[in-house]
Amino acid sequence: MAILQILFLIDKGVQIYSGLLVIYALLSWFPGAQDSFLGRLVARLCEPYLSLFDRLNLNIGMVSFNVMIGIIVLNLASGGLNMIILSLIG
């Protein structure tokens, strides 16, 4: 039972962080939004993770796809971790 609770917490954490990444992307659309308290807080939480994808240069014109790729990688890693944990206990 404790393993299922851990898996649930991992999934909830990934959902919350994915939501933060979406908020980070939306804040870039509004001038001055990233300079607010909320913008700085979200940036401090998201930029270290998103910096991992900066080397890939995922830009098309003025649009960066780092956030989308970051969400996909995060969800794939979470799913893989869940499968590994479930295979170990089953």
Side-chain angles (χ1 to χ4, degrees), residues 49-86:
Y49 174 66
L50 291 175
S51 68
L52 298 172
F53 304 103
D54 285 343
R55 294 184 197 112
L56 300 176
N57 197 16
L58 301 168
N59 299 335
I60 297 177
M62 298 284 294
V63 179
S64 174
F65 290 96
N66 286 353
V67 173
M68 184 172 54
I69 299 300
I71 290 172
I72 291 170
V73 168
L74 185 65
N75 284 296
L76 287 174
S78 171
L81 181 62
N82 286 344
M83 288 176 61
I84 290 170
I85 291 173
L86 288 174

Side-chain angles (χ1 to χ4, degrees), residues 6-84:
I6 290 171
L7 293 176
F8 176 76
L9 288 175
I10 289 171
D11 286 339
K12 281 298 173 190
V14 167
Q15 286 178 353
I16 291 169
Y17 198 72
S18 295
L20 281 174
L21 291 171
V22 170
I23 291 170
Y24 177 80
L26 291 175
L27 285 174
S28 69
W29 291 3
F30 301 104
Q34 291 181 333
D35 295 330
S36 68
F37 173 75
L38 177 66
R40 289 191 304 270
L41 179 65
V42 171
R44 286 186 69 191
L45 293 171
C46 295
E47 285 178 355
Y49 174 66
L50 291 175
S51 68
L52 298 172
F53 304 103
D54 285 343
R55 294 184 197 112
L56 300 176
N57 197 16
L58 301 168
N59 299 335
I60 297 177
M62 298 284 294
V63 179
S64 174
F65 290 96
N66 286 353
V67 173
M68 184 172 54
I69 299 300
I71 290 172
I72 291 170
V73 168
L74 185 65
N75 284 296
L76 287 174
S78 171
L81 181 62
N82 286 344
M83 288 176 61
I84 290 170

